[in-house]
Amino acid sequence: MNKRTLLSLAPVALLSACGFRLRGVPEFGFNSLYIAAPASSPLARELQRTLEGSGSQLKLLRDPASMPTAEAIFDLLQEQQERAVVGLNASGQVRELQLRLRIKFRLRTPAGVELIPETELLQQRDISYSETIALAKEAEEALLYRNMRTDLVQQLMRRLSLTRPAK
């Protein structure tokens, strides 16, 4: 066997030996999910879009009349964006901010049995700030909030896929 063949097979052998496999399609312990969240919630919209695009057999319900037919209900209790000053220069001007995105949620059955009790998730990012380029920093801030929202949705997907209703 020549060196090229050996080198091209090495990554495959290493990945299979360590137990690596692609994440694949999430499998949920319930067949239908009702998302109880305000229609204006960006996190709820992204969660719905991610669940619809996941390729799973999960049926998403958003109509309030269909809530009693759902096997699980995702309640988004709170979604809060925070902005805190963490650094000032010698003249008292803001130089660094910390952005936080905090959500509270729970997962329950229509009968009220909690599958995931009330849980809080937090994402935070630091951002430098300059008043001379305030518009650019505002756009960067919006991008960071969107990235934090995506990270939170991925955490929610993992938690939802691990939840199994008691039979």
Side-chain angles (χ1 to χ4, degrees):
M1 203 183 293
N2 64 19
K3 286 183 182 180
R4 267 191 202 150
T5 307
L6 184 61
L7 289 175
S8 67
L9 293 176
V12 174
L14 288 174
L15 288 177
S16 64
C18 73
F20 174 82
R21 66 181 175 91
L22 293 175
R23 189 172 292 143
V25 177
E27 295 179 17
F28 299 100
F30 38 87
N31 295 320
S32 59
L33 176 70
Y34 177 79
I35 299 176
S40 62
S41 168
L43 186 110
R45 283 194 307 267
E46 185 161 347
L47 177 62
Q48 180 177 354
R49 196 172 33 250
T50 303
L51 285 167
E52 288 171 346
S54 70
S56 71
Q57 299 299 318
L58 183 67
K59 182 179 177 187
L60 281 177
L61 307 171
R62 283 302 298 240
D63 181 28
S66 63
M67 184 170 70
T69 64
E71 288 183 27
I73 299 171
F74 176 84
D75 292 315
L76 183 62
L77 305 171
Q78 179 184 11
E79 178 179 3
Q80 182 178 13
Q81 290 185 0
E82 301 169 3
R83 185 178 183 207
V85 175
V86 292
L88 302 171
N89 66 8
S91 61
Q93 295 176 320
V94 175
R95 287 294 166 228
E96 191 171 1
L97 297 170
Q98 186 175 69
L99 307 176
R100 296 183 199 115
L101 183 58
R102 184 183 313 266
I103 64 166
K104 284 186 184 175
F105 72 96
R106 73 175 172 205
L107 186 69
R108 62 183 174 90
T109 65
V113 177
E114 285 191 338
L115 303 173
I116 299 176
E118 185 174 318
T119 305
E120 182 177 294
L121 297 177
L122 172 69
Q123 283 283 316
Q124 60 188 28
R125 304 283 192 275
D126 291 335
I127 180 174
S128 63
Y129 184 77
S130 174
E131 293 167 0
T132 58
I133 52 172
L135 287 176
K137 288 299 176 179
E138 189 176 307
E140 183 181 0
E141 190 175 314
L143 181 65
L144 286 172
Y145 276 123
R146 190 173 58 193
N147 288 341
M148 288 188 283
R149 200 171 293 114
T150 300
D151 289 348
L152 287 173
V153 166
Q154 291 305 314
Q155 286 183 41
L156 287 172
M157 290 287 289
R158 287 190 293 274
R159 287 174 188 243
L160 292 174
S161 69
L162 293 174
T163 303
R164 302 286 181 250
K167 301 253 176 172

